[in-house]
PDB file of all heavy atoms in Angstrom:
ATOM      1  N   ASN A  12     -15.592  -9.209  22.817  1.00 65.00           N
ATOM      2  CA  ASN A  12     -17.017  -9.696  22.396  1.00 65.00           C
ATOM      3  C   ASN A  12     -17.134  -9.609  20.907  1.00 65.00           C
ATOM      4  O   ASN A  12     -17.680 -10.530  20.273  1.00 65.00           O
ATOM      5  CB  ASN A  12     -18.059  -8.901  23.135  1.00 65.00           C
ATOM      6  CG  ASN A  12     -19.447  -9.470  22.772  1.00 65.00           C
ATOM      7  OD1 ASN A  12     -19.837 -10.595  23.051  1.00 65.00           O
ATOM      8  ND2 ASN A  12     -20.248  -8.520  22.181  1.00 65.00           N
ATOM      9  N   GLN A  13     -16.751  -8.383  20.378  1.00 54.00           N
ATOM     10  CA  GLN A  13     -16.850  -8.208  18.918  1.00 54.00           C
ATOM     11  C   GLN A  13     -16.010  -9.292  18.174  1.00 54.00           C
ATOM     12  O   GLN A  13     -16.411  -9.740  17.145  1.00 54.00           O
ATOM     13  CB  GLN A  13     -16.338  -6.792  18.539  1.00 54.00           C
ATOM     14  CG  GLN A  13     -17.230  -5.646  19.017  1.00 54.00           C
ATOM     15  CD  GLN A  13     -18.597  -5.726  18.288  1.00 54.00           C
ATOM     16  OE1 GLN A  13     -19.609  -6.193  18.873  1.00 54.00           O
ATOM     17  NE2 GLN A  13     -18.657  -5.197  17.075  1.00 54.00           N
ATOM     18  N   TYR A  14     -14.794  -9.579  18.657  1.00 50.00           N
ATOM     19  CA  TYR A  14     -13.902 -10.535  18.053  1.00 50.00           C
ATOM     20  C   TYR A  14     -14.567 -11.911  18.079  1.00 50.00           C
ATOM     21  O   TYR A  14     -14.558 -12.664  17.044  1.00 50.00           O
ATOM     22  CB  TYR A  14     -12.561 -10.534  18.748  1.00 50.00           C
ATOM     23  CG  TYR A  14     -11.621 -11.750  18.288  1.00 50.00           C
ATOM     24  CD1 TYR A  14     -10.950 -11.500  17.133  1.00 50.00           C
ATOM     25  CD2 TYR A  14     -11.476 -12.907  18.963  1.00 50.00           C
ATOM     26  CE1 TYR A  14     -10.083 -12.543  16.598  1.00 50.00           C
ATOM     27  CE2 TYR A  14     -10.732 -13.886  18.532  1.00 50.00           C
ATOM     28  CZ  TYR A  14     -10.024 -13.775  17.348  1.00 50.00           C
ATOM     29  OH  TYR A  14      -9.152 -14.736  16.975  1.00 50.00           O
ATOM     30  N   GLN A  15     -15.065 -12.283  19.222  1.00 52.00           N
ATOM     31  CA  GLN A  15     -15.644 -13.622  19.362  1.00 52.00           C
ATOM     32  C   GLN A  15     -16.946 -13.832  18.535  1.00 52.00           C
ATOM     33  O   GLN A  15     -17.360 -14.850  18.073  1.00 52.00           O
ATOM     34  CB  GLN A  15     -15.968 -13.918  20.870  1.00 52.00           C
ATOM     35  CG  GLN A  15     -14.617 -14.124  21.656  1.00 52.00           C
ATOM     36  CD  GLN A  15     -14.941 -14.353  23.150  1.00 52.00           C
ATOM     37  OE1 GLN A  15     -15.961 -13.944  23.689  1.00 52.00           O
ATOM     38  NE2 GLN A  15     -14.118 -15.017  23.844  1.00 52.00           N
ATOM     39  N   THR A  16     -17.678 -12.676  18.435  1.00 53.00           N
ATOM     40  CA  THR A  16     -18.946 -12.711  17.720  1.00 53.00           C
ATOM     41  C   THR A  16     -18.789 -12.731  16.255  1.00 53.00           C
ATOM     42  O   THR A  16     -19.425 -13.397  15.433  1.00 53.00           O
ATOM     43  CB  THR A  16     -19.849 -11.511  18.165  1.00 53.00           C
ATOM     44  OG1 THR A  16     -20.069 -11.625  19.461  1.00 53.00           O
ATOM     45  CG2 THR A  16     -21.202 -11.636  17.506  1.00 53.00           C
ATOM     46  N   PHE A  17     -17.868 -11.822  15.715  1.00 49.00           N
ATOM     47  CA  PHE A  17     -17.768 -11.589  14.258  1.00 49.00           C
ATOM     48  C   PHE A  17     -16.473 -12.146  13.644  1.00 49.00           C
ATOM     49  O   PHE A  17     -16.532 -12.835  12.622  1.00 49.00           O
ATOM     50  CB  PHE A  17     -17.896 -10.167  13.933  1.00 49.00           C
ATOM     51  CG  PHE A  17     -19.194  -9.428  14.386  1.00 49.00           C
ATOM     52  CD1 PHE A  17     -19.242  -8.608  15.506  1.00 49.00           C
ATOM     53  CD2 PHE A  17     -20.362  -9.760  13.728  1.00 49.00           C
ATOM     54  CE1 PHE A  17     -20.373  -8.014  15.897  1.00 49.00           C
ATOM     55  CE2 PHE A  17     -21.508  -9.211  14.160  1.00 49.00           C
ATOM     56  CZ  PHE A  17     -21.572  -8.375  15.181  1.00 49.00           C
ATOM     57  N   VAL A  18     -15.326 -11.892  14.217  1.00 47.00           N
ATOM     58  CA  VAL A  18     -14.130 -12.215  13.585  1.00 47.00           C
ATOM     59  C   VAL A  18     -13.698 -13.678  13.731  1.00 47.00           C
ATOM     60  O   VAL A  18     -13.425 -14.327  12.731  1.00 47.00           O
ATOM     61  CB  VAL A  18     -12.909 -11.346  14.117  1.00 47.00           C
ATOM     62  CG1 VAL A  18     -11.652 -11.652  13.506  1.00 47.00           C
ATOM     63  CG2 VAL A  18     -13.315  -9.848  13.961  1.00 47.00           C
ATOM     64  N   LYS A  19     -13.769 -14.154  14.941  1.00 46.00           N
ATOM     65  CA  LYS A  19     -13.330 -15.603  15.168  1.00 46.00           C
ATOM     66  C   LYS A  19     -14.052 -16.597  14.414  1.00 46.00           C
ATOM     67  O   LYS A  19     -13.512 -17.481  13.747  1.00 46.00           O
ATOM     68  CB  LYS A  19     -13.375 -15.898  16.697  1.00 46.00           C
ATOM     69  CG  LYS A  19     -12.773 -17.225  17.045  1.00 46.00           C
ATOM     70  CD  LYS A  19     -12.726 -17.454  18.570  1.00 46.00           C
ATOM     71  CE  LYS A  19     -12.174 -18.817  18.828  1.00 46.00           C
ATOM     72  NZ  LYS A  19     -12.158 -19.045  20.288  1.00 46.00           N
ATOM     73  N   PRO A  20     -15.497 -16.572  14.432  1.00 48.00           N
ATOM     74  CA  PRO A  20     -16.230 -17.550  13.575  1.00 48.00           C
ATOM     75  C   PRO A  20     -15.847 -17.501  12.110  1.00 48.00           C
ATOM     76  O   PRO A  20     -15.701 -18.567  11.441  1.00 48.00           O
ATOM     77  CB  PRO A  20     -17.675 -17.122  13.876  1.00 48.00           C
ATOM     78  CG  PRO A  20     -17.681 -16.455  15.191  1.00 48.00           C
ATOM     79  CD  PRO A  20     -16.403 -15.694  15.175  1.00 48.00           C
ATOM     80  N   LEU A  21     -15.704 -16.265  11.639  1.00 48.00           N
ATOM     81  CA  LEU A  21     -15.429 -16.101  10.148  1.00 48.00           C
ATOM     82  C   LEU A  21     -14.038 -16.738   9.821  1.00 48.00           C
ATOM     83  O   LEU A  21     -13.881 -17.336   8.808  1.00 48.00           O
ATOM     84  CB  LEU A  21     -15.547 -14.719   9.771  1.00 48.00           C
ATOM     85  CG  LEU A  21     -15.192 -14.351   8.249  1.00 48.00           C
ATOM     86  CD1 LEU A  21     -16.212 -15.088   7.360  1.00 48.00           C
ATOM     87  CD2 LEU A  21     -15.317 -12.817   8.061  1.00 48.00           C
ATOM     88  N   LYS A  22     -13.122 -16.473  10.757  1.00 45.00           N
ATOM     89  CA  LYS A  22     -11.787 -17.025  10.598  1.00 45.00           C
ATOM     90  C   LYS A  22     -11.804 -18.485  10.552  1.00 45.00           C
ATOM     91  O   LYS A  22     -11.066 -19.092   9.725  1.00 45.00           O
ATOM     92  CB  LYS A  22     -10.897 -16.394  11.667  1.00 45.00           C
ATOM     93  CG  LYS A  22      -9.332 -16.746  11.499  1.00 45.00           C
ATOM     94  CD  LYS A  22      -8.579 -16.216  12.555  1.00 45.00           C
ATOM     95  CE  LYS A  22      -7.012 -16.515  12.271  1.00 45.00           C
ATOM     96  NZ  LYS A  22      -6.228 -15.957  13.415  1.00 45.00           N
ATOM     97  N   GLU A  23     -12.505 -19.010  11.456  1.00 49.00           N
ATOM     98  CA  GLU A  23     -12.497 -20.497  11.549  1.00 49.00           C
ATOM     99  C   GLU A  23     -13.170 -21.092  10.253  1.00 49.00           C
ATOM    100  O   GLU A  23     -12.734 -22.102   9.653  1.00 49.00           O
ATOM    101  CB  GLU A  23     -13.292 -21.005  12.815  1.00 49.00           C
ATOM    102  CG  GLU A  23     -12.466 -20.705  14.038  1.00 49.00           C
ATOM    103  CD  GLU A  23     -13.278 -20.967  15.294  1.00 49.00           C
ATOM    104  OE1 GLU A  23     -14.495 -21.220  15.240  1.00 49.00           O
ATOM    105  OE2 GLU A  23     -12.725 -20.964  16.470  1.00 49.00           O
ATOM    106  N   ASP A  24     -14.341 -20.581   9.812  1.00 54.00           N
ATOM    107  CA  ASP A  24     -15.004 -20.946   8.691  1.00 54.00           C
ATOM    108  C   ASP A  24     -14.108 -20.778   7.384  1.00 54.00           C
ATOM    109  O   ASP A  24     -14.192 -21.679   6.519  1.00 54.00           O
ATOM    110  CB  ASP A  24     -16.393 -20.238   8.507  1.00 54.00           C
ATOM    111  CG  ASP A  24     -17.403 -20.642   9.452  1.00 54.00           C
ATOM    112  OD1 ASP A  24     -17.347 -21.764   9.980  1.00 54.00           O
ATOM    113  OD2 ASP A  24     -18.278 -19.802   9.790  1.00 54.00           O
ATOM    114  N   SER A  25     -13.366 -19.752   7.458  1.00 65.00           N
ATOM    115  CA  SER A  25     -12.543 -19.461   6.226  1.00 65.00           C
ATOM    116  C   SER A  25     -11.426 -20.535   6.118  1.00 65.00           C
ATOM    117  O   SER A  25     -11.078 -20.885   4.901  1.00 65.00           O
ATOM    118  CB  SER A  25     -11.835 -18.122   6.457  1.00 65.00           C
ATOM    119  OG  SER A  25     -12.629 -17.074   6.485  1.00 65.00           O
ATOM    120  N   LEU A  26     -10.932 -21.203   7.067  1.00 72.00           N
ATOM    121  CA  LEU A  26     -10.010 -22.172   6.952  1.00 72.00           C
ATOM    122  C   LEU A  26     -10.564 -23.348   6.205  1.00 72.00           C
ATOM    123  O   LEU A  26      -9.785 -23.873   5.373  1.00 72.00           O
ATOM    124  CB  LEU A  26      -9.505 -22.682   8.332  1.00 72.00           C
ATOM    125  CG  LEU A  26      -8.787 -21.671   9.197  1.00 72.00           C
ATOM    126  CD1 LEU A  26      -8.465 -22.267  10.636  1.00 72.00           C
ATOM    127  CD2 LEU A  26      -7.439 -21.355   8.558  1.00 72.00           C
ATOM    128  N   PHE A  27     -11.790 -23.714   6.481  1.00 74.00           N
ATOM    129  CA  PHE A  27     -12.381 -24.823   5.716  1.00 74.00           C
ATOM    130  C   PHE A  27     -12.670 -24.470   4.248  1.00 74.00           C
ATOM    131  O   PHE A  27     -12.397 -25.243   3.352  1.00 74.00           O
ATOM    132  CB  PHE A  27     -13.715 -25.245   6.325  1.00 74.00           C
ATOM    133  CG  PHE A  27     -14.398 -26.483   5.725  1.00 74.00           C
ATOM    134  CD1 PHE A  27     -13.627 -27.620   5.494  1.00 74.00           C
ATOM    135  CD2 PHE A  27     -15.767 -26.414   5.358  1.00 74.00           C
ATOM    136  CE1 PHE A  27     -14.366 -28.725   4.826  1.00 74.00           C
ATOM    137  CE2 PHE A  27     -16.372 -27.437   4.670  1.00 74.00           C
ATOM    138  CZ  PHE A  27     -15.623 -28.587   4.515  1.00 74.00           C
ATOM    139  N   THR A  28     -13.253 -23.352   4.116  1.00 78.00           N
ATOM    140  CA  THR A  28     -13.558 -22.886   2.614  1.00 78.00           C
ATOM    141  C   THR A  28     -12.214 -22.717   1.875  1.00 78.00           C
ATOM    142  O   THR A  28     -12.194 -22.942   0.635  1.00 78.00           O
ATOM    143  CB  THR A  28     -14.338 -21.642   2.555  1.00 78.00           C
ATOM    144  OG1 THR A  28     -13.853 -20.606   3.415  1.00 78.00           O
ATOM    145  CG2 THR A  28     -15.779 -21.970   3.116  1.00 78.00           C
ATOM    146  N   ASP A  29     -11.206 -22.137   2.466  1.00 78.00           N
ATOM    147  CA  ASP A  29      -9.913 -21.955   1.852  1.00 78.00           C
ATOM    148  C   ASP A  29      -9.349 -23.325   1.478  1.00 78.00           C
ATOM    149  O   ASP A  29      -8.758 -23.476   0.400  1.00 78.00           O
ATOM    150  CB  ASP A  29      -8.891 -21.280   2.759  1.00 78.00           C
ATOM    151  CG  ASP A  29      -9.190 -19.771   2.922  1.00 78.00           C
ATOM    152  OD1 ASP A  29      -9.976 -19.278   2.016  1.00 78.00           O
ATOM    153  OD2 ASP A  29      -8.676 -19.119   3.759  1.00 78.00           O
ATOM    154  N   PHE A  30      -9.569 -24.314   2.371  1.00 76.00           N
ATOM    155  CA  PHE A  30      -9.061 -25.715   1.970  1.00 76.00           C
ATOM    156  C   PHE A  30      -9.855 -26.202   0.743  1.00 76.00           C
ATOM    157  O   PHE A  30      -9.181 -26.797  -0.165  1.00 76.00           O
ATOM    158  CB  PHE A  30      -9.364 -26.603   3.190  1.00 76.00           C
ATOM    159  CG  PHE A  30      -9.194 -28.119   2.872  1.00 76.00           C
ATOM    160  CD1 PHE A  30      -7.893 -28.654   2.947  1.00 76.00           C
ATOM    161  CD2 PHE A  30     -10.325 -28.939   2.511  1.00 76.00           C
ATOM    162  CE1 PHE A  30      -7.674 -29.962   2.681  1.00 76.00           C
ATOM    163  CE2 PHE A  30     -10.064 -30.218   2.293  1.00 76.00           C
ATOM    164  CZ  PHE A  30      -8.740 -30.743   2.301  1.00 76.00           C
ATOM    165  N   LEU A  31     -11.123 -25.989   0.735  1.00 76.00           N
ATOM    166  CA  LEU A  31     -11.899 -26.422  -0.570  1.00 76.00           C
ATOM    167  C   LEU A  31     -11.447 -25.789  -1.750  1.00 76.00           C
ATOM    168  O   LEU A  31     -11.316 -26.311  -2.797  1.00 76.00           O
ATOM    169  CB  LEU A  31     -13.384 -26.163  -0.266  1.00 76.00           C
ATOM    170  CG  LEU A  31     -14.060 -27.063   0.898  1.00 76.00           C
ATOM    171  CD1 LEU A  31     -15.523 -26.535   1.072  1.00 76.00           C
ATOM    172  CD2 LEU A  31     -14.109 -28.542   0.532  1.00 76.00           C
ATOM    173  N   VAL A  32     -11.289 -24.544  -1.661  1.00 75.00           N
ATOM    174  CA  VAL A  32     -10.788 -23.686  -2.915  1.00 75.00           C
ATOM    175  C   VAL A  32      -9.409 -24.182  -3.345  1.00 75.00           C
ATOM    176  O   VAL A  32      -9.081 -24.296  -4.457  1.00 75.00           O
ATOM    177  CB  VAL A  32     -10.824 -22.180  -2.506  1.00 75.00           C
ATOM    178  CG1 VAL A  32     -10.091 -21.396  -3.665  1.00 75.00           C
ATOM    179  CG2 VAL A  32     -12.159 -21.624  -2.352  1.00 75.00           C
ATOM    180  N   SER A  33      -8.528 -24.416  -2.270  1.00 77.00           N
ATOM    181  CA  SER A  33      -7.136 -24.843  -2.630  1.00 77.00           C
ATOM    182  C   SER A  33      -7.142 -26.184  -3.332  1.00 77.00           C
ATOM    183  O   SER A  33      -6.201 -26.511  -4.065  1.00 77.00           O
ATOM    184  CB  SER A  33      -6.242 -24.832  -1.392  1.00 77.00           C
ATOM    185  OG  SER A  33      -6.684 -25.874  -0.524  1.00 77.00           O
ATOM    186  N   HIS A  34      -8.185 -26.935  -3.136  1.00 80.00           N
ATOM    187  CA  HIS A  34      -8.327 -28.238  -3.766  1.00 80.00           C
ATOM    188  C   HIS A  34      -9.323 -28.163  -4.950  1.00 80.00           C
ATOM    189  O   HIS A  34      -9.706 -29.262  -5.537  1.00 80.00           O
ATOM    190  CB  HIS A  34      -8.779 -29.334  -2.754  1.00 80.00           C
ATOM    191  CG  HIS A  34      -7.743 -29.759  -1.794  1.00 80.00           C
ATOM    192  ND1 HIS A  34      -7.259 -28.939  -0.732  1.00 80.00           N
ATOM    193  CD2 HIS A  34      -6.979 -30.909  -1.773  1.00 80.00           C
ATOM    194  CE1 HIS A  34      -6.370 -29.559  -0.132  1.00 80.00           C
ATOM    195  NE2 HIS A  34      -6.074 -30.695  -0.709  1.00 80.00           N
ATOM    196  N   LYS A  35      -9.543 -27.007  -5.404  1.00 81.00           N
ATOM    197  CA  LYS A  35     -10.356 -26.741  -6.565  1.00 81.00           C
ATOM    198  C   LYS A  35     -11.803 -27.308  -6.453  1.00 81.00           C
ATOM    199  O   LYS A  35     -12.397 -27.627  -7.438  1.00 81.00           O
ATOM    200  CB  LYS A  35      -9.741 -27.253  -7.861  1.00 81.00           C
ATOM    201  CG  LYS A  35      -8.332 -26.628  -8.145  1.00 81.00           C
ATOM    202  CD  LYS A  35      -7.690 -26.943  -9.460  1.00 81.00           C
ATOM    203  CE  LYS A  35      -6.324 -26.461  -9.663  1.00 81.00           C
ATOM    204  NZ  LYS A  35      -6.276 -25.038  -9.454  1.00 81.00           N
ATOM    205  N   GLN A  36     -12.282 -27.421  -5.187  1.00 82.00           N
ATOM    206  CA  GLN A  36     -13.638 -27.792  -5.032  1.00 82.00           C
ATOM    207  C   GLN A  36     -14.555 -26.549  -4.879  1.00 82.00           C
ATOM    208  O   GLN A  36     -15.030 -26.284  -3.845  1.00 82.00           O
ATOM    209  CB  GLN A  36     -13.660 -28.693  -3.749  1.00 82.00           C
ATOM    210  CG  GLN A  36     -12.837 -30.031  -3.904  1.00 82.00           C
ATOM    211  CD  GLN A  36     -12.965 -30.919  -2.624  1.00 82.00           C
ATOM    212  OE1 GLN A  36     -13.971 -30.981  -2.085  1.00 82.00           O
ATOM    213  NE2 GLN A  36     -11.855 -31.503  -2.240  1.00 82.00           N
TER     214      GLN A  36
END
Side-chain angles (χ1 to χ4, degrees):
N12 181 62
Q13 290 293 101
Y14 173 79
Q15 291 176 334
T16 303
F17 298 111
V18 180
K19 188 177 179 181
L21 180 59
K22 185 176 181 182
E23 291 174 349
D24 289 336
S25 296
L26 294 175
F27 180 54
T28 51
D29 286 345
F30 171 81
L31 292 173
V32 170
S33 67
H34 286 73
K35 301 187 184 304
Q36 298 180 38

